[in-house]
Amino acid sequence: MTTVTATHPAVAGFSLASILNSPQPSVALHPKPLLHSLAAFQAAIDAYVYKGKQEIARRKEVHASRLKEDGDKKRDMEEAIEREKRREIELIAVLEKEKLESKEMEASIYILKKQLASLTEQSSSLDVETNDLRTRIARLRKEKSRDLAVLEERAQAMSPELSLYETALGFSVTGVKEDVLLFRFIRLDEHSPNRVFSFVLDLSKQDYSVTMSEPPLGAMPRLVDALNDTREFWTFIKHVRASFVTELQDA
């Protein structure tokens, strides 16, 4: 007896399952039954192979589908990784830019703080200078008021002499603007009695100054210095007139 084993289900006329399930599987070797059994066995093998090929094709298709899915997932993952890398690079660039801007801002803040400190120091210095200037101005005003009071007192005391100057000597005083006076002399030139000799005296500051003299008087700077030293106003006027006469005679 020849023993045949198979794993495929039975087909028409031949039950492979029945043979395999029997305690002692066997196939009859009589000519007709044998041929019949062989044909059935061949058919069973063919059916098994066919189903096997179908299963292999199905599994291959499933495997290919899974490979494609895996490939798609891999590609998606690689693309996601690339996107993340690009985002990381962009983020690093942004962080570097913010870091640079932060350093620049810190430098600007440091400079502004130094400038503020300097301005604060300058402001304090200016406050001191302003207070000192106010003190000096107040002192100058006080001195100027005192000088003007003295001049007014002397003018009242010398009113007769002033009248004499104005009439006999052709002397006059005109206010140009506040604290600025124009002094005129005539009758100095015997050849031209109406010729005017004049000068402008600025009384607005602590030290007097002559801003114009016609004709120019060479002795004027010395006379002004003497006026600021002595505060002898009418003596200064007399000396200016005498200097005009002297320079006229020397011409």
Side-chain angles (χ1 to χ4, degrees), residues 36-173:
H36 180 74
S37 297
L38 289 175
F41 182 76
Q42 183 64 46
I45 293 298
D46 292 340
Y48 176 80
V49 170
Y50 175 75
K51 291 195 68 174
K53 287 181 180 181
Q54 284 187 326
E55 181 66 17
I56 291 172
R58 186 187 65 79
R59 293 183 180 182
K60 183 177 180 181
E61 183 178 352
V62 171
H63 181 67
S65 178
R66 289 179 178 176
L67 286 178
K68 184 177 182 303
E69 291 178 358
D70 292 342
D72 292 341
K73 290 180 180 179
K74 181 180 179 182
R75 185 177 62 256
D76 293 342
M77 187 175 296
E78 290 175 349
E79 291 177 355
I81 291 173
E82 287 298 323
R83 287 195 300 270
E84 291 300 322
K85 285 182 179 179
R86 287 194 296 269
R87 288 181 59 188
E88 183 179 1
I89 293 173
E90 293 173 357
L91 181 59
I92 291 174
V94 171
L95 290 176
E96 289 296 328
K97 182 179 179 181
E98 291 180 352
K99 185 177 180 181
L100 179 61
E101 291 176 350
S102 177
K103 288 184 178 180
E104 292 176 351
M105 187 174 295
E106 289 177 357
S108 298
I109 292 173
Y110 175 75
I111 293 174
L112 289 175
K113 285 183 177 179
K114 288 189 64 177
Q115 291 177 348
L116 179 60
S118 177
L119 290 174
T120 302
E121 183 178 354
Q122 292 178 9
S123 177
S124 300
S125 177
L126 288 175
D127 289 341
V128 173
E129 293 180 3
T130 300
N131 292 332
D132 181 61
L133 184 59
R134 287 174 179 170
T135 303
R136 290 173 58 190
I137 290 174
R139 185 175 67 252
L140 290 175
R141 286 177 176 172
K142 185 176 180 180
E143 292 177 356
K144 184 62 61 179
S145 298
R146 185 177 65 248
D147 290 343
L148 291 176
V150 171
L151 287 176
E152 184 177 355
E153 181 180 354
R154 290 182 180 179
Q156 292 176 355
M158 298 181 68
S159 181
E161 184 177 358
L162 180 59
S163 298
L164 175 64
Y165 269 51
E166 290 178 346
T167 56
L169 301 180
F171 169 72
S172 65
V173 181

Side-chain angles (χ1 to χ4, degrees), residues 181-193:
L181 301 176
L182 171 63
F183 295 85
R184 294 179 179 176
F185 300 95
I186 58 175
R187 300 174 188 169
L188 299 184
D189 188 351
E190 60 183 9
H191 300 293
S192 180

